Amino acid sequence: MTKIFDGSSPFLGFPPELAKPYLHEKRIRGWGSTGTVFKRLLEEVKPQIILELGTYLGASAIHMATLAKSMFDHQILILCVDDFRGWPGFRDKFKFHQINGNVQLLYQFMQNVQTMNFTDHILPLPFSTTSAMSALCEWGVYADLIEVDAAHDFHSAWADINLGYSLLRPGGIMFGHDYYTKLDNRGVGRAVDLFAKLKGLRVEPDGQHWILRSK
């Protein structure tokens, strides 16, 4: 909070006036965001800090926060890393109003979190995955559970998996979506398989999700 938001919550005084006309009270959408893998891994790890790489509108984070609220006595913190820019052409399919190049994804994410009353549990880190994880490493912030679901090409997934694993506490678990997705000749799956082979880990598929357990 101090390093990124000058010591105060980004939800303080939210939403700003310029964004209000374009926000839905709740617009929670994602892909594979409510699979059984989430409850299973939360029960196993009992995390205090979760790092989510690629969050879009916060569907997975909100689902994990909802599960954790009913499962644990301790408070969890979910750090959601995303540049909140979408991708070229995404507005052809998903209608978001653009203001001076800003497509309002961050504000809609924050609105979703606020509507669901998780502003004390979910914090956006509005940067690229590489720059955010480099900073977290420098600051000594590590996670018990890491979800990798940002870009789906091989090189991006490879970078996220490698950096993410360096932020994983001993005994923690890293997992992600789109293990079988065909994009970039199964880019995500190839990155996961190669990383596991080089680290001597076993890939555990769970539907479209993949799981790697730290040694």
Side-chain angles (χ1 to χ4, degrees), residues 1-188:
M1 197 82 79
T2 300
K3 295 282 189 181
I4 298 174
F5 298 110
D6 299 329
S8 61
S9 170
F11 294 100
L12 187 66
F14 182 84
E17 289 297 327
L18 84 164
K20 285 181 180 180
Y22 309 110
L23 295 177
H24 298 261
E25 181 181 4
K26 184 170 69 172
R27 188 180 183 181
I28 304 172
R29 297 180 182 178
W31 298 267
S33 304
T34 58
T36 56
V37 68
F38 292 97
K39 184 176 182 180
R40 173 188 167 195
L41 296 182
L42 286 174
E43 287 176 339
E44 181 177 341
V45 178
K46 298 177 176 57
Q48 291 186 319
I49 296 179
I50 298 173
L51 178 62
E52 180 176 66
L53 306 178
T55 194
Y56 192 47
L57 294 173
S60 296
I62 289 170
H63 180 60
M64 287 190 283
T66 301
L67 289 172
K69 185 177 181 180
S70 65
M71 293 168 62
F72 307 133
D73 292 330
H74 66 267
Q75 182 167 316
I76 68 164
L77 175 63
I78 305 176
L79 302 174
C80 296
V81 179
D82 200 302
D83 62 10
F84 296 99
R85 302 294 304 163
W87 55 92
F90 93 103
R91 289 195 308 121
D92 295 339
K93 185 175 182 180
F94 306 102
K95 303 303 180 183
F96 284 88
H97 187 81
Q98 184 171 244
I99 303 175
N100 299 117
N102 187 333
V103 295
Q104 311 298 310
L105 277 178
L106 174 59
Y107 288 153
Q108 187 59 60
F109 165 89
M110 293 175 68
Q111 180 65 58
N112 292 340
V113 172
Q114 183 168 276
T115 296
M116 300 304 292
N117 295 314
F118 286 125
T119 57
D120 290 334
H121 302 274
I122 297 175
L123 186 68
L125 303 185
F127 308 100
S128 70
T129 54
T130 301
S131 60
M133 285 193 284
S134 296
L136 291 174
C137 185
E138 180 182 338
W139 300 336
V141 178
Y142 299 95
D144 308 294
L145 185 64
I146 297 178
E147 181 189 7
V148 181
D149 194 14
H152 298 93
D153 63 282
F154 173 83
H155 292 289
S156 297
W158 174 253
D160 288 345
I161 291 167
N162 275 271
L163 280 172
Y165 194 78
S166 70
L167 293 173
L168 193 61
R169 292 185 186 277
I173 291 178
M174 182 165 64
F175 73 111
H177 193 233
D178 297 295
Y179 183 57
Y180 296 107
T181 296
K182 294 180 180 179
L183 185 66
D184 191 26
N185 190 25
R186 278 197 69 237
V188 172

